[in-house]
Amino acid sequence: MLPEVAESAYTGQISNEEFANEVRTERLNLIWKATLFLVIVALWCFFLFRVGDAQTIFIPGAIVIIGCLHARYLLKKQRLTEATWSYALAAMIALGFLLITDTKTIRELMPFLSLVPVYVVGLMLPIRAMPPLIMINSVILIVAPWIGDGAIKVPNESTFLALFIGLVSALLSAQASGELYGIAEWALESYRRERDGAIRLFENRKQLERSLLRQRALTDELSKTNEELVEARRAAEEAKHFRGQFLANMSHELRTPLNAVIGFSETMLNFPPMYNMVDLPQEYRADLVQIHNSGKHLLNIINDILDLSKIDVGRLDIDLQRVELDPIFKGVMSTAVGLVGGKPIKLQRNCPDVLPDVLGDPVRIRQVLLNLYSNAAKFTDKGSITLGLTCDSNEVTISVKDTGVGIKPENYEIIFEEFRQGTEGRRQARAGSGLGLAISRQLLKLMNGHIWVESTPGEGSTFYFTLPLYREELTKTESALMMEPKVEGEPA
Ligand code: ADP
């Protein structure tokens, strides 16, 4: 197969039929050139050695040369069938001319030479071209000697033999070439399929490579973002730690003078013996009460800030133990009387007679309850504040329900954040630090509980918090686990 034919076939631009024709064209090109060369060499030898009659050899030679050149011309026009016929007919007619001479050797040999054009046509054309070819060949082989002799004679044995061999070789060559072309076409088809598969694979591979590159870029970006995130987190934790430390130092520094203010104002109000029994003039008393109350309020805020800062740096000590709730409830409710002041608010208790014990820190449980009561008292103008308790097999749920201003659902989470207040808290009369609930949530986390709120604006709010039940039969491991509370994101 010639390279250019093969190449165009491989690139898939021609059909199998065209491919076969190109191969045949190349083959016929080779055959006519070889024939032309042989004829010219034969003529050259004839002129050199002057063998026999000039007309005998020249006319057939000329016919073959014309046939070859005509075939070439037709091949250039891509008319393969006509070119094959042109070549074969020229060769057969030339042989016929040779058979006209009555030289014995030529008459015996030439019929066999006629096998050449028969074979060529068999190679080039489909099997249906064989009958006319054999016919023409037979007519020439039989009739040419009659013309030479001027009489009709029975052809000799070599003519019959040549005719027979011509017939067989024509059939065989047509059959063989047909099969060969079939195989070549099948191979070409397989090659194309494989090549298409290879191209698809190549495309897929390229796509995969592109995806891999994209994925690698994304991974790089992700790891960079992760690094930035880790760095940001570290910075945030550092900032939180410094904030905690700063707040702890600051609240400590503030508490000392504040305690002096509260202590002295209280002494001035309540212990005249300390001042040689000289009574405080009434005009000063109201202002001093104000100083005393404000001082205590400030101390509460500073204590809250101190708690928060301790939680920030993970240093808030929680003393988990078996806690009886009843004394705490009683203490908180009596404090609540003072918190409510003169407002028409009923303080109620809706708990079972016998309260279960819980696992927690009594001081911190009291602190949480007081926060809730102080808020309830602050945000309720009339009605009631009810302390409730329910219990299941694992934990108790304590609730503080008021009939105050209520909280909008969109603020349910915000109010538990540090320094955040619901819109209700902004009213001057109810202004606070926005720390109470944030600290309560953290304290409860440390005691393995949690806190949430349910409310109807305008009707009231109920704050719930849970605490684990204290159980004697807790295994040592369980107790140890519960005794090591952990707050999310906080160092242990
Ligand atoms: P504050 O010192 O401002 O009371 P808290 O953290 O205790 O700080 O409360 C945060 C906010 O939650 C309050 O400002 C208020 O808006 C809202 N809040 C808390 N308790 C109640 C309540 N019982 N009724 C209505 N609003 C409440």
Side-chain angles (χ1 to χ4, degrees):
M1 194 186 302
L2 291 175
E4 61 270 29
V5 175
E7 204 175 301
S8 53
Y10 287 175
T11 51
Q13 287 152 1
I14 61 169
S15 68
N16 288 350
E17 181 65 28
E18 286 168 332
F19 164 69
N21 279 346
E22 282 203 35
V23 175
R24 286 177 173 130
T25 303
E26 288 306 320
R27 205 168 268 188
L28 188 59
N29 259 323
L30 204 70
I31 291 171
W32 75 252
K33 278 176 194 164
T35 311
L36 193 64
F37 174 76
L38 287 175
V39 169
I40 289 171
V41 169
L43 286 176
W44 177 255
C45 290
F46 171 78
F47 281 120
L48 216 59
F49 304 110
R50 300 236 164 246
V51 190
D53 177 13
Q55 201 183 338
T56 314
I57 195 78
F58 180 74
I59 295 175
I63 292 171
V64 172
I65 290 172
I66 290 168
C68 286
L69 293 177
H70 191 232
R72 175 180 178 270
Y73 167 79
L74 291 170
L75 281 180
K76 286 227 157 147
K77 301 252 168 207
Q78 295 185 333
R79 288 157 65 186
L80 176 69
T81 310
E82 289 94 325
T84 310
W85 276 116
S86 164
Y87 170 84
L89 284 178
M92 286 190 293
I93 291 169
L95 285 175
F97 259 98
L98 284 172
L99 284 174
I100 290 174
T101 58
D102 60 353
T103 316
K104 190 170 176 278
T105 331
I106 291 180
R107 284 217 175 157
E108 276 176 2
L109 283 181
M110 284 309 124
F112 293 100
L113 253 185
S114 72
L115 294 179
V116 175
V118 170
Y119 190 75
V120 169
V121 174
L123 277 183
M124 297 298 151
L125 299 183
I127 200 155
R128 65 173 179 275
M130 290 302 115
L133 177 79
I134 302 290
M135 202 102 80
I136 295 167
N137 190 39
S138 309
V139 169
I140 289 173
L141 289 188
I142 294 168
V143 173
W146 291 352
I147 297 171
D149 298 343
I152 297 173
K153 286 184 188 167
V154 179
N156 60 19
E157 306 84 45
S158 61
T159 307
F160 277 120
L161 190 60
L163 280 173
F164 177 70
I165 295 175
L167 178 70
V168 172
S169 70
L171 289 176
L172 281 180
S173 65
Q175 174 70 17
S177 68
E179 268 178 21
L180 275 179
Y181 287 124
I183 290 170
E185 281 171 14
W186 171 80
L188 182 65
E189 199 54 53
S190 310
Y191 169 78
R192 278 191 186 144
R193 265 203 305 277
E194 265 175 38
R195 193 206 44 183
D196 287 350
I199 289 174
R200 265 201 306 280
L201 267 179
F202 184 67
E203 282 297 318
N204 287 350
R205 199 182 129 175
K206 277 210 302 210
Q207 213 161 338
L208 202 70
E209 274 173 6
R210 277 200 294 273
S211 308
L212 274 176
L213 276 177
R214 258 204 309 277
Q215 199 201 348
R216 212 168 291 162
L218 281 178
T219 313
D220 285 353
E221 212 165 307
L222 198 71
S223 66
K224 216 173 121 197
T225 313
N226 273 344
E227 277 169 23
E228 282 169 6
L229 216 63
V230 168
E231 178 55 27
R233 193 191 155 119
R234 195 196 57 73
E237 267 166 15
E238 202 174 41
K240 201 173 174 188
H241 184 80
F242 283 132
R243 184 188 72 165
Q245 210 134 37
F246 167 75
L247 289 178
N249 293 343
M250 196 195 68
S251 9
H252 181 73
E253 292 301 320
L254 287 176
R255 264 181 355 153
T256 317
L258 203 55
N259 277 328
V261 171
I262 294 168
F264 281 116
S265 56
E266 201 169 315
T267 314
M268 285 164 80
L269 281 170
N270 301 331
F271 296 102
M274 292 288 289
Y275 303 94
N276 296 329
M277 297 311 278
V278 177
D279 258 348
L280 191 69
Q282 270 310 311
E283 291 81 6
Y284 291 137
R285 185 164 277 278
D287 290 348
L288 209 55
V289 168
Q290 188 65 39
I291 290 173
H292 183 248
N293 286 343
S294 301
K296 274 176 46 183
H297 178 64
L298 213 55
L299 188 64
N300 280 339
I301 294 178
I302 288 169
N303 281 340
D304 278 354
I305 290 177
L306 193 63
D307 280 350
L308 198 69
S309 60
K310 280 186 183 162
I311 292 171
D312 272 359
V313 291
R315 282 213 210 111
L316 188 88
D317 293 327
I318 291 279
D319 184 14
L320 288 184
Q321 54 187 270
R322 178 183 193 158
V323 181
E324 279 184 49
L325 288 173
D326 196 51
I328 296 179
F329 282 6
K330 283 185 178 140
V332 169
M333 283 190 74
S334 68
T335 312
V337 177
L339 293 172
V340 168
K343 290 198 260 187
I345 296 172
K346 238 164 90 184
L347 294 173
Q348 306 179 137
R349 185 172 149 152
N350 182 17
C351 303
D353 293 338
V354 182
L355 297 182
D357 292 344
V358 293
L359 184 69
D361 182 331
V363 178
R364 299 301 176 180
I365 297 174
R366 194 182 134 79
Q367 187 179 345
V368 171
L369 266 175
L370 273 178
N371 271 340
L372 297 182
Y373 260 92
S374 115
N375 280 343
K378 210 162 37 171
F379 293 100
T380 308
D381 295 328
K382 59 177 190 314
S384 62
I385 300 174
T386 310
L387 177 64
L389 183 142
T390 55
C391 176
D392 67 18
S393 54
N394 287 319
E395 56 186 18
V396 297
T397 304
I398 299 166
S399 61
V400 177
K401 177 180 167 105
D402 65 49
T403 53
V405 295
I407 300 165
K408 291 183 192 138
E410 63 265 29
N411 289 333
Y412 283 0
E413 272 306 307
I414 290 173
I415 57 173
F416 288 99
E417 291 171 15
E418 295 164 15
F419 304 107
R420 296 291 294 268
Q421 296 175 319
T423 41
E424 299 79 7
R426 295 202 190 122
R427 280 161 57 183
Q428 201 52 41
R430 291 172 173 144
S433 60
L435 283 175
L437 290 179
I439 290 173
S440 300
R441 174 170 271 187
Q442 297 293 358
L443 290 176
L444 284 165
K445 265 187 193 169
L446 292 171
M447 292 188 285
N448 302 303
H450 63 281
I451 183 170
W452 73 100
V453 66
E454 286 169 11
S455 174
T456 311
E459 286 182 24
S461 322
T462 309
F463 281 84
Y464 298 91
F465 68 90
T466 62
L467 283 169
L469 270 179
Y470 177 82
R471 278 182 287 157
E472 290 285 2
E473 70 276 14
L474 273 183
T475 61
K476 274 190 177 168
T477 339
E478 273 177 308
S479 314
L481 280 174
M482 295 195 82
M483 300 296 247
E484 280 176 17
K486 247 186 151 193
V487 179
E488 266 170 48
E490 298 292 339

